[in-house]
Amino acid sequence: MGIPDQMDERKPVKTVVPVQSYETLYTEASSTGKHDSCFLTYVPWSHSAHMVSVVSGNPKYGFIGITASMQVDRAANSSIDVEKVKEDVKPALPDSSQFPDGGLDAWLVTLGAWLVFFVCWGPINTIGIFQEYYQQELLSTYSPSAIAWISSAKLFMMYAGGAVFGKLFDSYGPRWLLLVGSAMHVYGWMMTSISTQYYQIFLSQAICSAVGASCIYYACAGSITTWFLKRRSTAFGIAASGSSFGGVILPIMAVRLIPKVGFPWTMRIIGFVILGMVIVINFTVKSRIKHTPKPFRVAEYIQPFKEPSFSFLALSMTMFVFGLFLPFNFLVLQAQSKGMSRSLSEYLVPILNAAR
């Protein structure tokens, strides 16, 4: 059963259309350009009218929030039983039959996602190596806290990009996000290789590379959810292991290469490794569904926080990330300050990542 054309915030409708499946609603909503939705939920609107809101994304909380609505006006149609509307309009769980949950394309997306975690989060798990090198060699005239702003800004760009790139993914899909993000990520590493000043390293590593990595990551995170439902946790678990692999391989590469070929060529070699991986990513990561451009609404970012459980989840995740990467950043320097040799302390970062 389709979504009626008259569904509009300004035009009351006199019927309620039940949702048969996630795929039906999402496909029809995307094709009409009116909704970015997953389920219907009843919300009180006024004494004379009620609203049935279409909420996007997650079947319980929604990724975006309310994007469209229809009003049931009791004054215009006295036969409408509002209590019956409350009973009929129930949250509909995604229809598992609409998700492949496997197959060649789905697992190729998972492979691409594994590479995404490697190239996006692997370098972040390596920040301790760069903190030590910058503090002792390249940026020795700067304080540890000033140098730490590089990794802090990099993390901020990675997470904050979701507010923008998530919306772009919903409207346009992953293709352009992957292309632009790949170019920026690789370019940032190459520019770091020729940087000698603090501001140059900050712009190339903390801004350019991080924004590109954020593009790639959120394009991938959105794509993989369109292929899996029952096996979604498994797919994400496989993909997330790429972060730990990157956190093992990249710091060892940096530690071994810097004394032999110098910092500039170490950055270029890592940049070429990332280049090879993002090429594979662009050929394997894709969305299963059709994406239609949708208007920007500030309310879409505010609405989910009206649900206490979602707000507490967001707050807890924020507090968790506050302390998550501190050990990665200062572990090497702290070990050296306690008497551990430099040659051994530099392997603490890959050891920590291997244990994750």
Side-chain angles (χ1 to χ4, degrees):
M1 183 178 294
I3 297 175
D5 293 335
Q6 68 267 35
M7 186 181 289
D8 192 284
E9 292 183 355
R10 300 177 301 276
K11 298 178 181 179
V13 295
K14 299 180 180 180
T15 57
V16 175
V17 180
V19 181
Q20 291 184 340
S21 71
Y22 168 85
E23 181 70 12
T24 300
L25 181 57
Y26 193 99
T27 302
E28 295 182 5
S30 298
S31 63
T32 61
K34 294 183 178 181
H35 308 290
D36 172 17
S37 50
C38 179
F39 66 93
L40 296 177
T41 180
Y42 172 84
V43 180
W45 185 246
S46 70
H47 293 293
S48 62
H50 287 75
M51 178 177 72
V52 180
S53 301
V54 182
V55 182
S56 69
N58 185 287
K60 185 170 179 59
Y61 304 110
F63 292 132
I64 302 299
I66 292 180
T67 58
S69 64
M70 63 181 179
Q71 296 182 10
V72 180
D73 194 335
R74 287 187 292 177
N77 184 2
S78 58
S79 64
I80 291 292
D81 185 348
V82 176
E83 295 302 321
K84 184 65 166 60
V85 172
K86 291 181 180 180
E87 296 176 1
D88 290 343
V89 184
K90 302 290 185 180
L93 295 176
D95 184 357
S96 60
S97 66
Q98 305 294 337
F99 293 81
D101 267 320
L104 179 61
D105 287 339
W107 292 117
L108 283 176
V109 172
T110 306
L111 170 64
W114 188 92
L115 296 175
V116 167
F117 274 84
F118 187 104
V119 302
C120 293
W121 293 103
I124 288 180
N125 292 337
T126 312
I127 55 179
I129 300 299
F130 294 111
Q131 177 77 22
E132 184 236 5
Y133 179 79
Y134 292 155
Q135 189 170 326
Q136 296 185 358
E137 304 288 343
L138 193 59
L139 302 174
S140 57
T141 58
Y142 290 85
S143 65
S145 61
I147 296 172
W149 272 103
I150 297 174
S151 56
S152 298
K154 186 179 181 75
L155 278 168
F156 174 80
M157 291 297 173
M158 276 292 297
Y159 283 109
V164 177
F165 304 135
K167 177 66 175 177
L168 291 176
F169 172 82
D170 289 339
S171 295
Y172 302 102
R175 183 56 49 223
W176 285 106
L177 286 174
L178 290 174
L179 289 172
V180 174
S182 298
M184 291 185 66
H185 195 24
V186 174
Y187 182 76
W189 278 91
M190 296 304 180
M191 290 299 100
T192 303
S193 72
I194 61 175
S195 300
T196 57
Q197 302 297 319
Y198 179 89
Y199 79 92
Q200 295 172 337
I201 296 175
F202 190 92
L203 290 175
S204 57
Q205 194 169 24
I207 305 298
C208 182
S209 173
V211 171
S214 185
C215 278
I216 300 170
Y217 172 70
Y218 286 105
C220 162
S223 296
I224 199 170
T225 59
T226 66
W227 292 93
F228 294 93
L229 182 62
K230 293 181 178 179
R231 296 181 178 177
R232 185 173 294 174
S233 297
T234 301
F236 267 108
I238 294 172
S241 67
S243 172
S244 295
F245 271 87
V248 171
I249 295 173
L250 293 179
I252 293 177
M253 286 181 62
V255 167
R256 302 285 290 182
L257 288 174
I258 289 176
K260 294 182 179 179
V261 299
F263 177 79
W265 266 107
T266 298
M267 296 297 100
R268 293 180 194 124
I269 291 172
I270 293 177
F272 281 122
V273 170
I274 293 176
L275 174 62
M277 290 187 173
V278 296
I279 290 174
V280 177
I281 289 169
N282 276 270
F283 280 103
T284 55
V285 175
K286 58 185 178 181
S287 177
R288 183 181 59 85
I289 62 178
K290 180 182 178 181
H291 295 262
T292 304
K294 304 168 186 67
F296 173 82
R297 297 185 180 91
V298 176
E300 296 176 350
Y301 294 90
I302 300 175
Q303 185 65 29
F305 291 96
K306 293 182 179 180
E307 185 160 351
S309 55
F310 180 86
S311 297
F312 281 117
L313 174 63
L315 177 62
S316 64
M317 292 298 295
T318 301
M319 300 301 294
F320 171 71
V321 176
F322 272 164
L324 176 61
F325 291 98
L326 283 175
F328 292 91
N329 207 32
F330 294 105
L331 179 62
V332 176
L333 292 169
Q334 179 68 15
Q336 291 178 11
S337 70
K338 297 300 181 181
M340 184 177 290
S341 66
R342 183 174 183 178
S343 59
L344 178 59
S345 64
E346 290 176 331
Y347 283 93
L348 291 177
V349 171
I351 291 173
L352 178 61
N353 282 302
R356 293 173 64 213

